[in-house]
Amino acid sequence: MAKWIIGIACVLALTLAVSAAAIRGTIGSESDSPAIRLTHRVERGALQVTVTEQGVLESSDNTEIKCKVRGQNTVIWVIENGSQVQKGDVLCRLDTLEIEDAINERTKYAHWSQSGAENSQAQVARAKLALDEYLEGRFVTQLLTLEKDLAIAESNLRTAQNMLDHDRRMSEKNYRSQLDVEQREFALRQAKQNLQAIKTRIEVLKTYDKEIELETLNGNLKAVEATHAANVERAQLDAERRDIALEELEHCIIRADKSGLVIFPSAAAWKDTPDIAEGATVHKTQTLLLMPDLSKMQVKVGVHESVVDRVTGGLEAKVSLPDLELDGAVDSVAAVASPSGWWNGDIVKYDCIVKLPSITGLKPGMSAEVEIVIADYDDVLLIPVSSVLETESETLCWVISDGEATKRVIEIGDSNDVFLIVEDGLEAGDEVLLNPLALPEAQREARKTLKGSQSDEASNLDDGQSAIE
């Protein structure tokens, strides 16, 4: 930082000196002019090193009021920036036409889906009853009918057997013909076949028909249960969509959750967020308004990269407002630099947060000048910045002794905009020139340094051109 300040002072002083020389004709002939005799007595004293930056007040605790309505929505009314509100006051209104149309559509679909679910529920009940009806009704009836037929067939078989036995005895006594006996034998065979057929039918009913019918009925039950589950889920989703639309309709009227000040996002840290206005389009989760906690105010400033390493949390800071001065403290410094570009002269700065005491009257958006104290020195040897000339290899000043200006090599330490700390090369009481560039010797030293810098820049340009080629 000291070299940077000295360099600027040297360039300014050199410009003034050259202009003065052009007016006088030659610099050397004016060696005894009063300008050269502007001196300063080197003394020991206190030095405070500070960094001064401009910033804007903001709150560290902002209640964000966001849009809770999905999609793109149009603002039809919004409260004025900086208004004081009470809890429950209306802050913003959104257009409800599309949401009301959506509610009507989704209500209609919700009713249709519910009707389908009720219908499929009845089908499930019928399918379950069909299972019970078969197991306890039709199957039992069919089995009892076949068992009755089996009993009749067994009775018929016994009757046919008895009739055959009777006709055979009668045929032996020539009371029946052989034809009658053969008819009885045929009737017996029919009775046996009929009995076997009924037994087979009973076996098929128990083993196959019952299983086939149960599989069919269970399959029908599962199918209607799946259809019912789909209808129930569809009905639930349609009802949820309707309820969401109804909830979003309520969110179209945005109210304050607490009492306090209401500001637009651009008045705080959200400088890239556009302010809302009537007719503006907003989207879900967009920050519409802020309600800052005025008891937790802070200032955000940008600290130049040349001194950011010296700014740490806890450093004292003086904050100057338009009609008030406050004592603050550095709370944090960003680890990453803020984006730079043509809009800020490509200057690299780091965001620094300065906490302020809790007092009334502070509002977000107020401009502030922040002076951060980065070092305090007591009883150090001080020399004005304008008395020092820094070359490529050494730091110089000119000491007045017996009326003559003598070049002196010195070592310097920390500095502010006015003074530097002298670590070696001077003693308290020495008289130093305030404008050494009025001397031809100092001008020659400055020109050497300037030419060296220009040569380095030219060399860098040549290296860059060679690399491109």
Side-chain angles (χ1 to χ4, degrees):
M1 180 178 178
K3 294 183 178 180
W4 180 67
I5 294 174
I6 293 171
I8 293 177
C10 291
V11 172
L12 293 175
L14 178 60
T15 303
L16 293 173
V18 173
S19 300
I23 295 174
R24 293 193 300 267
T26 60
I27 296 175
S29 62
E30 301 293 337
S31 60
D32 294 331
S33 65
I36 297 178
R37 298 307 179 186
L38 295 176
T39 63
H40 176 81
R41 182 181 296 275
V42 177
E43 300 289 352
R44 303 189 72 85
L47 179 70
Q48 188 176 75
V49 183
T50 62
V51 176
T52 302
E53 296 288 352
Q54 301 294 324
V56 178
L57 264 66
E58 63 183 27
S59 175
S60 62
D61 185 8
N62 292 277
T63 300
E64 300 180 31
I65 301 171
K66 296 186 176 183
C67 177
K68 297 181 180 179
V69 183
R70 295 178 299 173
Q72 302 291 327
N73 303 278
T74 303
V75 177
I76 59 176
W77 180 83
V78 63
I79 196 169
E80 292 184 3
N81 188 21
S83 299
Q84 287 284 345
V85 299
Q86 299 297 321
K87 182 177 180 180
D89 287 352
V90 177
L91 305 180
C92 182
R93 295 180 185 271
L94 303 179
D95 185 21
T96 60
L97 181 59
E98 292 186 5
I99 296 179
E100 289 173 351
D101 291 341
I103 290 174
N104 294 333
E105 284 294 316
R106 290 171 184 175
T107 301
K108 176 179 66 177
Y109 284 116
H111 289 321
W112 282 349
S113 300
Q114 186 62 34
S115 174
E118 296 292 342
N119 183 40
S120 59
Q121 184 177 8
Q123 293 178 3
V124 170
R126 286 196 295 267
K128 290 180 178 180
L129 289 174
L131 270 172
D132 296 336
E133 181 268 340
Y134 175 72
L135 289 174
E136 299 177 8
R138 286 189 292 126
F139 173 73
V140 174
T141 301
Q142 291 173 359
L143 182 59
L144 289 175
T145 300
L146 290 176
E147 288 177 346
K148 181 193 70 174
D149 294 340
L150 179 63
I152 294 173
E154 290 176 344
S155 175
N156 291 336
L157 178 61
R158 288 193 297 271
T159 300
Q161 184 66 50
N162 293 332
M163 293 297 291
L164 176 60
D165 293 340
H166 177 267
D167 285 351
R168 282 177 177 172
R169 287 194 299 271
M170 295 300 290
S171 175
E172 291 175 356
K173 296 178 180 181
N174 295 321
Y175 290 109
R176 292 284 189 271
S177 64
Q178 185 62 34
L179 180 61
D180 292 333
V181 173
E182 291 176 355
Q183 288 178 346
R184 295 296 182 186
E185 291 176 348
F186 178 74
L188 178 62
R189 288 195 299 271
Q190 283 185 325
K192 289 180 178 181
Q193 292 175 351
N194 187 39
L195 177 62
Q196 185 60 40
I198 292 174
K199 289 182 178 180
T200 303
R201 288 172 60 188
I202 292 175
E203 183 67 24
V204 170
L205 176 63
K206 290 181 178 180
T207 306
Y208 301 104
D209 290 350
K210 179 182 178 182
E211 295 301 322
I212 291 173
E213 188 66 18
L214 287 177
E215 287 295 328
T216 301
L217 293 174
N218 282 319
N220 292 338
L221 176 60
K222 291 179 180 179
V224 295
E225 284 179 339
T227 301
H228 177 60
N231 290 339
V232 169
E233 185 174 357
R234 185 183 297 110
Q236 290 175 347
L237 291 175
D238 287 338
E240 288 176 1
R241 293 189 183 101
R242 177 201 59 204
D243 295 340
I244 290 174
L246 290 171
E247 183 180 358
E248 288 182 337
L249 181 62
E250 296 180 0
H251 292 325
C252 287
I253 300 178
I254 302 171
R255 300 181 182 274
D257 294 332
K258 63 179 183 178
S259 301
L261 178 71
V262 177
I263 61 175
F264 289 167
S266 62
W270 291 260
K271 293 183 175 61
D272 296 332
T273 301
D275 290 339
I276 62 172
E278 294 182 10
T281 300
V282 297
H283 56 81
K284 187 174 184 181
T285 70
Q286 178 177 337
T287 301
L288 305 180
L289 297 166
L290 299 172
M291 296 190 70
D293 186 346
L294 300 183
S295 65
K296 300 178 181 179
M297 299 300 291
Q298 63 185 23
V299 183
K300 179 185 288 186
V301 296
V303 177
H304 194 274
E305 61 179 338
S306 62
V307 295
V308 69
D309 291 339
R310 303 186 63 181
V311 179
T312 59
L315 291 180
E316 296 180 359
K318 299 177 182 178
V319 180
S320 298
L321 302 174
D323 56 355
L324 182 66
E325 289 190 359
L326 301 173
D327 292 329
V330 175
D331 182 67
S332 62
V333 181
V336 180
S338 301
S340 61
W342 59 266
W343 58 88
N344 60 2
D346 292 320
I347 297 175
V348 178
K349 290 190 174 184
Y350 292 75
D351 287 338
C352 174
I353 301 298
V354 177
K355 291 289 186 181
L356 299 179
S358 177
I359 62 173
T360 59
L362 301 183
K363 294 183 179 180
M366 296 177 66
S367 59
E369 182 180 81
V370 179
E371 185 180 16
I372 302 173
V373 180
I374 59 177
D376 259 322
Y377 299 94
D378 292 323
D379 193 28
V380 291
L381 197 62
L382 302 177
I383 184 174
V385 172
S386 60
S387 298
V388 177
L389 174 64
E390 188 169 5
T391 67
E392 293 181 351
S393 58
E394 55 192 3
T395 303
L396 307 174
C397 72
W398 274 259
V399 180
I400 301 298
S401 178
D402 297 331
E404 296 293 332
T406 304
K407 182 174 69 173
R408 185 79 59 87
V409 178
I410 62 174
E411 293 182 6
I412 59 173
D414 207 350
S415 68
N416 57 21
D417 294 339
V418 182
F419 289 99
L420 299 97
I421 297 176
V422 180
E423 297 182 347
D424 192 21
L426 292 176
E427 295 181 356
D430 287 344
E431 293 282 342
V432 296
L433 282 177
L434 281 173
N435 53 343
L437 286 175
L439 295 174
E441 182 182 11
Q443 293 178 21
R444 287 192 296 271
E445 294 289 347
R447 290 192 185 98
K448 290 178 183 179
T449 302
L450 183 61
K451 288 180 180 179
S453 300
Q454 292 175 346
S455 298
D456 292 340
E457 292 179 2
S459 176
N460 292 334
L461 290 174
D462 292 339
D463 293 342
Q465 185 64 30
S466 299
I468 294 174
E469 293 174 353

